[in-house]
Amino acid sequence: EIVLRQSPVTLSLSPGERATLSCRASQSVSICLAWYQQKPGQAPRLLMYGASSRANGIPARFSGSGSGTDFTLTISSLEPEDFAVYYCQQCSNSVTFAQGTKVEIK
Amino acid sequence: EVHLVESGGDLVQPGRSLRLSCATSGFTFDDYAMHWVRLAPGKGLEWVSGISWNSGTIDYADSVKGRFTISRDNAKNSLYLQMNSLRAEDTAFYYCAKDTHSSYWYYFDYWGQGTLVTVSS
């Protein structure tokens, strides 16, 4: 099973700041990686797929990069609605999610 | 507009069974693989099971293998999860999710709002 680990667990930032979230895989997943956003009481929302492609309707302030084992989700300037939990997910070998990173208001 | 609506969640005792359903609309159901994903209290998302468009490929997380069975009825645009021998650690919100592809697992572009399963005596 491919294990994904996200860092940091919690990211405390202010609106307008840049957020950088990391996802590391225990073995190469090529670019078969997605990012999701989940807010309390809501379903997850697909943000990025193929490591760097934005899903439909996702603002340009969200960007993804990486390949192999190391991936990054960047939010260039945090909006109030961006404070949430973010998960990465791999699809190279079955499906696994990481444990998530909570982006909270500082 | 795509809609996925889960139902069937309940409070059940350990060892009992439960069947979840997911009714879908707004897309061609039999063109896509479908999945169940859960979110346990205080934990992260966990993929539970996936099924290809024609039920030809089915896969489960190790944590549920041998206890849960995924199925679909393309004529009814519906997805199911039969959950047997339930344990306390199965307590979670269960989400139905649509894959972006048909035959194997890729990305989940639409999700339902979830149904709560609580396993407790």
Side-chain angles (χ1 to χ4, degrees):
Chain A
E1 174 184 312
I2 296 178
V3 177
L4 297 178
R5 289 195 168 83
Q6 284 182 243
S7 61
V9 173
T10 305
L11 195 53
S12 299
L13 295 168
S14 300
E17 288 194 294
R18 182 184 189 89
T20 303
L21 288 67
S22 175
C23 175
R24 178 165 287 181
S26 59
Q27 64 189 77
S28 177
V29 300
S30 185
I31 59 168
C32 205
L33 188 109
W35 291 92
Y36 299 84
Q37 176 194 68
Q38 188 173 30
K39 298 178 184 179
Q42 296 186 18
R45 177 171 72 144
L46 177 66
L47 297 176
M48 313 292 302
Y49 64 93
S52 61
S53 296
R54 268 189 302 276
N56 289 341
I58 302 304
R61 65 181 180 272
F62 290 90
S63 63
S65 65
S67 66
T69 60
D70 290 302
F71 301 88
T72 301
L73 174 70
T74 302
I75 311 171
S76 60
S77 177
L78 283 164
E79 296 288 337
E81 61 268 28
D82 299 337
F83 292 91
V85 179
Y86 293 82
Y87 297 93
C88 59
Q89 169 244 323
Q90 68 80 22
C91 54
S92 175
N93 184 349
S94 189
V95 172
T96 49
F97 288 90
Q99 84 287 1
T101 290
K102 182 179 181 180
V103 179
E104 64 176 23
I105 299 176
K106 186 175 181 180
Chain B
E1 188 178 355
V2 173
H3 286 288
L4 294 85
V5 180
E6 304 92 339
S7 60
D10 204 351
L11 170 63
V12 294
Q13 294 179 330
R16 303 299 291 265
S17 298
L18 204 58
R19 189 190 195 214
L20 305 183
S21 299
C22 174
T24 75
S25 61
F27 66 102
T28 304
F29 183 71
D30 54 11
D31 275 353
Y32 297 97
M34 297 292 295
H35 302 267
W36 290 98
V37 178
R38 68 185 180 184
L39 181 66
K43 301 211 169 179
L45 295 173
E46 180 187 15
W47 175 79
V48 172
S49 182
I51 184 168
S52 64
W53 68 280
N54 63 351
S55 305
T57 301
I58 287 175
D59 195 12
Y60 299 96
D62 288 344
S63 58
V64 307
K65 203 169 288 185
R67 300 188 298 122
F68 290 10
T69 302
I70 192 172
S71 62
R72 63 191 293 161
D73 185 335
N74 287 346
K76 295 183 177 179
N77 295 330
S78 293
L79 177 72
Y80 307 99
L81 186 67
Q82 178 67 40
M83 310 164 69
N84 297 334
S85 303
L86 282 161
R87 305 168 180 167
E89 54 265 35
D90 295 319
T91 294
F93 276 97
Y94 284 74
Y95 297 97
C96 163
K98 171 189 168 291
D99 201 294
T100 55
H101 289 68
S102 61
S103 297
Y104 203 63
W105 325 142
Y106 284 90
Y107 313 110
F108 307 158
D109 57 352
Y110 290 95
W111 299 65
Q113 286 303 306
T115 188
L116 180 59
V117 173
T118 304
V119 184
S120 175
S121 54

